[in-house]
Amino acid sequence: MRAADRGYTRWGLILPFLALPVVVLGVLIIGLFLWAWSDDDESRGGTRAGATATVPCTEALAFGAAERPATARARDCTVQRGIDTSYSAVLRMPREDVRDWLRETYPNGPEARTGGGACGALCLDVTHENGLPGTAEAHVVQVRVEYENAETALVRFSAFTM
């Protein structure tokens, strides 16, 4: 054996071929971990947890077992999903129709109360325990009414799970 061949092994040729699958497998495992760890559901066709998304107003109201009154204009209807789900809608309708709509929508619920302050001109809180219809997916419905003028009411509707 020559002196120059001393210490020479065939591992110098084999080692790169063995290292390549290990590197590829490592990259795949790290990529899978990062994908699973990310909170970006939008890339998978959904909305990010906690993000607010615009939805049809019929969907927002139906979550709380309500329908849009014929005399109302609905706008700003959204959903926020996370641990719980929360829908909201803003309705503008004749002031004189608000109480009747609430009574028809939640006939077994409590009477709407006047409160002022955080309540606004009129408030209603309905749960399954106090009259929320069985068709509601929400656990709680809150309605806050502000009178804009002598004829028009701004109704803030929210329905959510707990």
Side-chain angles (χ1 to χ4, degrees), residues 100-150:
D100 290 338
W101 174 66
L102 291 174
R103 280 189 203 107
E104 289 171 13
T105 303
Y106 304 109
N108 298 321
E111 188 67 27
R113 65 188 189 282
T114 57
C119 178
L122 196 61
C123 294
L124 179 66
D125 296 315
V126 187
T127 66
H128 281 290
E129 290 79 27
N130 72 351
L132 193 61
T135 58
E137 294 178 59
H139 299 149
V140 178
V141 171
Q142 293 180 332
V143 180
R144 301 295 181 255
V145 181
E146 300 170 25
Y147 295 142
E148 293 185 321
N149 55 40

Side-chain angles (χ1 to χ4, degrees), residues 4 10 13-14 17 35 40-41 43-44 52 54 56 59 83 91 109 113 124 126 128 144 149-150 153 162:
R10 289 185 173 29
L13 295 173
I14 297 173
F17 291 106
W35 175 78
D40 187 12
D41 288 340
S43 64
R44 292 177 235 149
T52 302
T54 302
E59 179 182 330
I83 294 173
L91 307 170
R113 65 188 189 282
L124 179 66
V126 187
H128 281 290
R144 301 295 181 255
N149 55 40
M162 297 189 330

Side-chain angles (χ1 to χ4, degrees), residues 19-30:
L20 184 63
V22 172
V23 170
V24 169
L25 185 60
V27 169
L28 288 175
I29 289 172
I30 290 171

